[in-house]
């Protein structure tokens, strides 16, 4: 206990020191060289998250510790040239699961490897076009289609080249081509250029009311038989543009070939919220998410929405049992800030499958929860998520969460139907 208190005191002292400094203590050579470090540790306990069966203990009904260290350096010798490199070490400690990333649900070990290494050319003050090339994070919109999946202990990056045109008042347009980096526990993480992900993405501030984003995305994967387009738009209200009200929505359609079959699919998301005039800033929101399923897996048509490269953990329950495919999700959001540094939130989701002839897919948009059963009810269950986050200082944050999944009729019709629990405690130190 004394060692824990000592560690916490050291963190508080470091926070106070950083806040007291006028300049970043890790910034050198008049800001031309900036060093960075991030240490994240998360304890997790999961029960019945994978089989929904309390009668059979599995290696996933367990607790473990996830530890992640990132070290980076940013060098900017001139205003029009920037270099960035980041290494990452990810470890899963104390679990019964395999140490290989993705094996039987494991986040796994990935000893110190290259997470990012990119350069950027251009100075928007002189010319509106910039180029960013190398291993990098791609993050767009609400991360429902493209995100770093930073909840995962290894996370996600791309080997990519991106051109950005910078307009006025926050207007920008990106043109990119990329390949996702695949973790390799025993070797160097590399992308597989048999899978190429490209896109045109535009961010358009609209009349000070909302941000409007338009995109065209293309995925070609010769190994999986994919060659399809995703066309969509993402809308989000500007802060306080509607007073206490806010809204967000996204709509996407897909066409082409997926898994060697003709693809016609659709996904949507809408949310509205209201923040009360109170010192605690209580907000209530109502959300609906929908992704088409495939009504006949045996024919030549694919109707299931392809979720691409999302951060699904943010959206469809923290137990991570769903993706933006074959889904109806109605969610109630409640949040308050009792203190400036403390945020608490409660979410309640109710889930249905769009089509029981299709697979129920987990948050990775690939792993099935159960085999399809067209005769079963499409009510999958509901989930309660409670989270608490406390910002000790700008550099140190503590988060805790508890989730409970109430098993629905679909699980009962297809096998075991026990409720599931998930508990976590996470700290993040970043300079």
């Amino acid at each position: 206990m004394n060692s824990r208190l000592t560690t916490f005191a050291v963190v508080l002292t470091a926070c106070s020191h950083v806040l007291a400094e006028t300049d970043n203590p890790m910034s050198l050579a008049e800001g031309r060289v900036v060093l960075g470090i991030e240490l994240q540790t998360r304890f997790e306990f999961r029960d019945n998250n994978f089989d929904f069966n309390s009668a059979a203990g599995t290696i996933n009904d367990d607790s473990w510790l996830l530890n992640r260290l990132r070290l980076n350096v940013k060098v900017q010798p001139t205003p029009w040239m920037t270099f960035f490199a980041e290494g990452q070490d990810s470890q899963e400690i104390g679990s019964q699961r395999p140490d290989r990333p993705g094996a039987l649900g494991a986040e796994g070990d990935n000893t110190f490897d290259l997470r990012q290494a990119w350069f950027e050319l251009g100075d928007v003050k002189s010319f509106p076009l910039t180029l960013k090339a190398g291993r990098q994070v791609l993050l767009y919109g609400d991360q429902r289609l493209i995100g770093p999946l930073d909840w995962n202990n290894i996370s996600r990056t791309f080997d990519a080249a991106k051109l950005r045109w910078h307009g006025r008042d926050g207007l920008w347009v990106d043109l990119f081509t990329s390949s996702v980096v695949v973790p390799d526990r025993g070797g160097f993480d590399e992308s597989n250029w048999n899978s190429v992900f490209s896109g045109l993405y535009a961010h358009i501030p609209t009349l000070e009311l909302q941000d409007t984003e338009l995109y065209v995305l293309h995925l070609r994967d010769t190994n999986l038989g994919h060659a399809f387009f995703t066309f969509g738009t993402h809308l989000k209200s500007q802060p306080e543009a509607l007073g206490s009200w806010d809204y967000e929505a996204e709509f996407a359609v897909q066409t082409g070939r997926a898994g060697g079959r003709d693809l016609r699919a659709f996904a949507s998301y809408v949310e509205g919220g209201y923040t009360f005039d109170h010192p605690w800033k209580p907000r209530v929101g109502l959300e609906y998410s929908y992704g088409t399923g495939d009504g006949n897996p045996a024919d030549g048509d694919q109707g299931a929405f392809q979720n691409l490269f999302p951060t699904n953990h943010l959206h469809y329950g923290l137990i991570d049992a769903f993706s933006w495919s074959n889904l109806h999700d109605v969610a109630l959001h409640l949040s308050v800030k009792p203190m400036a540094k403390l945020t608490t939130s409660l979410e309640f989701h109710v889930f249905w499958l769009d089509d029981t002839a299709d697979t129920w897919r987990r948050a990775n948009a690939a792993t099935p929860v159960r085999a399809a059963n067209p005769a079963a009810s499409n009510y999958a269950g509901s989930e309660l998520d409670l989270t608490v986050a406390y910002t000790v200082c700008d550099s140190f944050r503590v988060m805790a969460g508890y989730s409970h999944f109430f098993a629905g009729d679909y699980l009962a019709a297809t096998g075991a139907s026990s409720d599931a629990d998930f508990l976590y405690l996470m700290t993040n130190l970043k300079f």
Side-chain angles (χ1 to χ4, degrees):
M1 179 64 70
N2 289 336
S3 63
R4 293 181 181 178
L5 290 175
T6 301
T7 301
F8 190 69
V10 169
V11 169
L12 288 176
T13 302
C15 287
S16 300
H17 175 73
V18 171
L19 291 174
E21 292 285 344
T22 304
D23 300 319
N24 182 355
M26 302 186 74
S27 177
L28 310 173
E30 299 181 336
R32 290 190 293 272
V33 178
V34 180
L35 306 178
I37 181 171
E38 180 179 358
L39 177 62
Q40 179 171 287
T41 302
R42 184 168 75 242
F43 167 80
E44 290 190 0
F45 167 79
R46 293 183 182 268
D47 188 39
N48 302 327
N49 286 199
F50 290 84
D51 59 1
F52 298 97
N53 186 359
S54 60
T58 72
I59 60 175
N60 291 301
D61 298 328
D62 194 7
S63 61
W64 47 76
L65 194 67
L66 300 171
N67 192 74
R68 183 172 74 196
L69 172 66
R70 291 174 178 169
L71 302 173
N72 60 64
V73 58
K74 178 181 178 182
V75 180
Q76 190 173 25
T78 71
W80 55 269
M81 180 184 296
T82 304
F83 299 92
F84 183 84
E86 181 176 60
Q88 174 179 273
D89 182 84
S90 304
Q91 305 292 326
E92 181 174 314
I93 304 166
S95 74
Q96 303 177 58
R97 307 185 300 185
D99 290 334
R100 298 185 305 277
L104 300 179
E107 299 198 35
D109 298 341
N110 194 28
T111 303
F112 204 81
D113 212 316
L114 184 65
R115 180 173 184 262
Q116 295 193 73
W118 51 261
F119 68 88
E120 186 171 29
L121 302 177
D123 180 2
V124 296
K125 295 179 180 179
S126 303
F127 188 72
L129 194 65
T130 59
L131 168 66
K132 186 176 180 180
R135 184 161 298 183
Q136 59 188 278
V137 168
L138 294 181
L139 189 159
Y140 289 101
D142 206 21
Q143 303 186 48
R144 290 176 184 264
L145 291 176
I146 310 172
L149 188 58
D150 215 33
W151 171 262
N152 182 278
N153 205 40
I154 297 177
S155 74
R156 177 191 296 127
T157 55
F158 296 80
D159 289 331
K162 180 175 69 177
L163 280 171
R164 170 168 290 191
W165 181 81
H166 303 256
R168 296 181 178 178
D169 301 322
L171 172 67
W172 52 260
V173 180
D174 280 2
L175 176 66
F176 69 87
T177 187
S178 70
S179 182
V180 69
V181 176
V182 180
D184 184 350
R185 178 175 179 264
F188 183 70
D189 295 351
E190 296 184 87
S191 57
N192 180 354
W193 286 95
N194 288 325
S195 177
V196 178
F197 180 51
S198 306
L200 181 67
Y201 204 105
H203 176 268
I204 309 166
T206 307
L207 300 176
E208 299 183 352
L209 175 65
Q210 69 177 32
D211 287 332
T212 301
E213 297 181 324
L214 304 173
Y215 54 83
V216 179
L217 310 172
H218 182 262
L219 176 63
R220 178 187 61 80
D221 191 317
T222 57
N223 294 329
L224 298 177
H226 291 343
F228 62 85
F229 287 93
T230 303
F231 303 88
T233 183
H234 174 235
L235 315 172
K236 187 173 184 178
S237 60
Q238 293 277 15
E240 301 181 357
L242 296 175
S244 297
W245 293 93
D246 63 83
Y247 64 88
E248 188 168 2
E250 187 161 0
F251 307 93
V253 296
Q254 293 179 328
T255 183
R257 302 276 290 177
R261 302 164 64 196
D262 291 334
L263 174 65
R264 298 290 185 277
F266 174 74
S268 62
Y269 153 75
V270 292
E271 179 182 358
Y274 183 85
T275 301
F276 293 88
D277 185 13
H278 185 277
W280 287 19
K281 299 180 181 179
R283 179 187 181 274
V284 57
L286 187 62
E287 166 194 341
Y288 171 64
S289 300
Y290 169 64
T292 55
D294 184 28
N296 185 359
D299 64 13
D301 298 324
Q302 172 61 273
F305 189 77
Q306 309 298 299
N307 205 180
L308 297 177
F309 303 100
T311 305
N312 281 331
H313 180 78
L314 299 173
H315 303 297
Y316 316 113
L318 301 184
I319 285 181
D320 291 331
F322 294 88
S323 62
W324 204 17
S325 179
N326 195 24
L327 172 74
H328 295 274
D329 174 17
V330 177
L332 175 68
H333 302 279
L334 302 173
S335 65
V336 295
K337 288 180 66 68
M339 301 164 54
K341 295 183 177 183
L342 179 65
T343 301
T344 64
S345 66
L346 184 145
E347 296 185 357
F348 186 73
H349 297 258
V350 185
F351 301 104
W352 295 266
L353 302 185
D354 179 51
D355 200 313
T356 56
D358 192 14
T359 303
W360 169 358
R361 285 173 281 275
R362 295 189 183 277
N364 64 6
T367 306
V369 175
R370 292 282 168 85
N373 186 337
S377 164
N378 71 335
Y379 172 56
S382 58
E383 181 174 328
L384 180 69
D385 298 319
L386 174 65
T387 59
V388 180
Y390 183 73
T391 303
V392 179
C393 65
D394 289 345
S395 301
F396 186 62
R397 192 173 187 230
V398 181
M399 293 182 64
Y402 170 71
S403 300
H404 184 84
F405 188 88
F406 302 88
D409 296 339
Y410 183 85
L411 287 169
T414 56
S417 56
S418 303
D419 289 0
D421 293 284
F422 170 49
L423 176 71
Y424 76 92
L425 175 63
M426 181 168 69
T427 62
N428 183 274
L429 179 65
K430 185 176 182 179
F431 292 101

